[in-house]
Amino acid sequence: MNRAQLIEQIKSKKSYLCVGLDTDLSKIPAHLHKRPDAIVAFNKAIIDATREYCISYKINTAFYEAMGLKGWAAMEETVHYIGDSHLRIADAKRGDIGNTSSQYAKAFFEELPFDAITVAPYMGSDSVKPFLEYSDKWTIVLGLTSNIGAKDFELQKMDDEFLYEKVLRTVSGWGNPSNLMFVIGATQADAFTNIRKILPYHFFLVPGVGAQGGSLKEISEKAMNPDCGLIVNASRAIIYASEKEDYAAEAAAIASQYQTEMASYL
């Protein structure tokens, strides 16, 4: 999905919601546990229920890799089921020396039909650029994250700027707003105004709304640009809205609430 297609999705649906499929077998409704395809069945029901309210799905690969071969198979079936109508994000946080990153890119962009992948920039340009070689694919680089450990490195000062600011400025030169996004955590709302000055045109993937307490209103007011420029992820708040057999309907209700609020900001 290229930038123009993404923007059109946002405009037509009046939404910039991403549903996070961080599916944990121990948290899905009990009645599904007896099914051998429990994860896939759960994911498909969530996707069917939320499709009209969101423009993207984010699969956190750790939840699938932890289950070994059957987990990888479930992830593959899920990403194919989503289809190309939505931006499909592999939240894999890869990033290694060039030839290794090339193999990661091949895995997620060729063998699997993901449109985007999250990447850790710590090892520098040669660990990121292999992902940027693919046309109509997105590399989503970790910028300023929501976790407590962000203070250990990201929020350390280097000369007259924070390390995360140097990362944003440097990495933005490796690609362009049509193939690069950045992860900016929703709980870092105070930083969004300054970050938007550094990156006026790029899209931000924003986790941390919902269960983690980030404010959709505050983020939208501080970080939206003329193309929207935001993909706001909600995972647990949507997919675990109910532990009962009505889980898909409840997920749809929460996703609809997000979409309605987003429409008011657009």
Side-chain angles (χ1 to χ4, degrees):
M1 181 179 290
N2 61 35
R3 184 182 176 97
Q5 292 168 329
L6 176 60
I7 294 169
E8 177 55 34
Q9 282 284 310
I10 292 169
K11 289 181 177 178
S12 64
K13 291 184 176 177
K14 295 181 172 57
S15 172
Y16 41 102
L17 175 64
C18 174
V19 175
L21 297 172
D22 302 354
T23 309
D24 185 338
L25 187 61
S26 68
K27 293 181 180 179
I28 69 175
H31 74 278
L32 293 173
H33 288 188
K34 58 187 177 183
R35 295 183 55 157
D37 64 339
I39 294 294
V40 173
F42 177 83
N43 285 349
K44 286 182 175 181
I46 294 291
I47 292 164
D48 289 342
T50 59
R51 233 180 235 287
E52 64 182 289
Y53 306 115
C54 68
I55 51 93
S56 177
Y57 290 96
K58 181 174 72 67
I59 293 178
N60 188 322
T61 63
F63 288 89
Y64 300 83
E65 292 173 292
M67 294 185 288
L69 183 60
K70 65 180 180 180
W72 192 268
M75 179 173 67
E76 185 169 6
E77 187 170 352
T78 297
V79 71
H80 278 286
Y81 189 76
I82 292 167
D84 58 10
S85 60
H86 290 67
L87 186 76
R88 295 164 291 188
I89 301 171
D91 189 2
K93 300 180 178 69
R94 299 302 202 260
D96 206 329
I97 59 173
N99 62 339
T100 305
S101 278
S102 293
Q103 295 302 309
Y104 283 138
K106 182 178 180 180
F108 289 96
F109 289 160
E110 294 183 33
E111 293 301 313
L112 295 169
F114 282 101
D115 302 294
I117 185 172
T118 56
V119 171
Y122 188 81
M123 290 183 68
S125 61
D126 58 322
S127 69
V128 176
K129 287 183 177 179
F131 299 97
L132 294 168
E133 293 174 359
Y134 287 80
S135 60
D136 294 339
K137 301 288 186 180
W138 295 89
T139 303
I140 309 177
V141 176
L142 298 178
L144 180 58
T145 56
S146 294
N147 61 307
I148 295 173
K151 67 180 185 299
D152 294 334
F153 298 114
E154 297 168 23
L155 291 169
Q156 292 296 312
K157 277 290 185 80
M158 288 186 62
D159 299 323
D160 60 345
E161 65 180 353
F162 291 111
L163 176 58
Y164 84 84
E165 293 175 313
K166 181 172 181 61
V167 168
L168 298 179
R169 295 182 197 279
T170 302
V171 175
S172 65
W174 300 343
N176 57 68
S178 292
N179 64 3
L180 264 177
M181 298 188 195
F182 292 88
V183 176
I184 310 293
T187 58
Q188 304 284 6
D190 290 342
F192 270 96
T193 301
N194 181 54
I195 291 171
R196 187 48 89 191
K197 291 178 182 177
I198 298 171
L199 301 170
Y201 306 114
H202 288 78
F203 268 84
F204 301 153
L205 173 63
V206 184
V209 166
Q212 295 182 52
S215 167
L216 177 58
K217 182 176 187 294
E218 192 172 9
I219 292 159
S220 300
E221 290 175 347
K222 293 182 176 181
M224 192 174 287
N225 66 18
D227 292 330
C228 180
L230 296 172
I231 300 174
V232 174
N233 181 80
S235 300
R236 287 171 286 173
I238 293 176
I239 68 173
Y240 301 136
S242 173
E243 298 177 353
K244 301 176 182 179
E245 293 188 15
D246 65 348
Y247 69 96
E250 289 300 307
I254 300 299
S256 176
Q257 290 174 18
Y258 277 116
Q259 185 276 325
T260 298
E261 184 177 356
M262 289 175 175
S264 71
Y265 303 139
L266 287 168

